[in-house]
Amino acid sequence: MNYKEITNRIDELNLDGYKQIKNNEWGYPENLLDYLNEHGFKRMGKGFFSEVWASESEKFVVKINMGRNYDENYLKFVEYCRNNKQNPHLPKMGKIKSLKTIDGRDFYILFIEKLNPIQRSDIGFESDSDCRVFMRLACRAYIRNGMNDLEEIVSELSSDYNIYHDSIKKQLAELVKIYSDMTELVGADNIDVAIRNIMKRGNTLVITDPVF
């Protein structure tokens, strides 16, 4: 599937599982988790605000806000993705379905393009720590320099981490742009630059959740 095909809205895909999840009110997020567990989905990630579930038979993952509070920084990232739909380094997002629990708490469901996990060799770093330090240093230098000279900044830092492949350096520069934009939106203390938040579509690196 090429990139243009992927940019079709996820919420317009004709998927039975998608429709079943989307069209139910659920009552509580836990009811949806029970449904997902019973229908072949597995929990792929869990944070304070939300959980992410995926099935091998579906073309999407489901992010479920658990009704404790809305994760406002992540919602800013969703809006950023929608405003930059042609950027191949961002995930494709469906519409957010806002719901209420029976006792009146707000929660939501979000469908997201299914991506593949990366290996460290895909991104060039030997450890998660190296990735964090590299991204923070690159973002800081890029923002301090007025969002200019990014390729030079990334190239200089890459040599410190023995990253010499131009294709990887080019993609790292695109990720730094995204992290820098999100830093401007939510503040440096709320940026999460861990490797676990980078996946891939084919050979293209994609940032999935860059915020706390």
Side-chain angles (χ1 to χ4, degrees):
M1 181 179 291
N2 63 37
Y3 181 69
K4 287 185 178 179
E5 291 172 324
I6 293 170
T7 59
N8 291 334
R9 296 180 65 88
I10 290 177
D11 51 358
E12 292 174 355
L13 293 176
N14 184 21
L15 300 168
D16 290 339
Y18 166 83
K19 290 180 178 179
Q20 187 71 21
I21 295 167
K22 180 183 176 184
N23 293 336
N24 200 313
E25 293 300 316
W26 296 112
Y28 290 99
E30 290 80 7
N31 293 337
L32 173 55
L33 300 188
D34 288 343
Y35 171 88
L36 294 173
N37 190 49
E38 292 168 2
H39 288 79
F41 284 77
K42 294 182 179 179
R43 182 188 287 115
M44 306 304 294
K46 180 179 181 180
F48 177 78
F49 293 107
S50 304
E51 297 189 9
V52 176
W53 289 65
S55 166
E56 291 184 3
S57 64
E58 301 290 1
K59 300 177 182 178
F60 58 85
V61 300
V62 189
K63 186 179 181 79
I64 306 108
N65 173 269
M66 296 303 295
R68 299 183 182 96
N69 275 311
Y70 272 17
D71 37 356
E72 297 295 340
N73 287 337
Y74 183 78
L75 294 179
K76 289 179 181 178
F77 176 62
V78 173
E79 182 178 5
Y80 177 83
C81 290
R82 293 212 176 106
N83 291 335
N84 295 274
K85 290 181 180 179
Q86 299 308 310
N87 188 333
H89 301 283
L90 292 170
K92 300 302 152 191
M93 305 281 193
K95 289 180 180 177
I96 290 175
K97 179 174 182 178
S98 298
L99 298 165
K100 278 190 179 293
T101 62
I102 293 171
D103 58 1
R105 290 180 289 122
D106 293 318
F107 71 105
Y108 69 77
I109 303 168
L110 174 63
F111 296 89
I112 306 170
E113 161 194 11
K114 183 189 283 185
L115 298 161
N116 297 311
I118 63 168
Q119 305 297 321
R120 287 201 179 100
S121 58
D122 293 322
I123 198 168
F125 296 107
E126 294 183 0
S127 69
D128 291 359
S129 176
D130 284 351
C131 180
R132 286 190 178 94
V133 173
F134 177 96
M135 289 297 178
R136 291 196 182 281
L137 289 174
C139 288
R140 199 172 299 155
Y142 183 50
I143 292 171
R144 187 171 58 240
N145 206 36
M147 304 291 202
N148 294 309
D149 302 324
L150 179 58
E151 289 185 7
E152 181 179 337
I153 291 167
V154 168
S155 181
E156 184 175 335
L157 280 172
S158 294
S159 63
D160 294 338
Y161 291 87
N162 299 316
I163 299 172
Y164 300 111
H165 293 289
D166 288 340
S167 60
I168 292 180
K169 288 193 286 186
K170 184 177 180 179
Q171 292 207 66
L172 289 177
E174 294 300 321
L175 301 191
V176 170
K177 281 184 185 178
I178 295 168
Y179 281 125
S180 299
D181 286 345
M182 290 307 303
T183 298
E184 298 283 280
L185 289 173
V186 305
D189 291 341
N190 295 312
I191 295 297
D192 185 3
V193 292
I195 284 181
R196 68 176 179 274
N197 295 324
I198 302 172
M199 301 186 77
K200 63 182 180 179
R201 180 193 306 112
N203 293 319
T204 301
L205 299 177
V206 180
I207 294 179
T208 58
D209 185 356
V211 294
F212 292 117

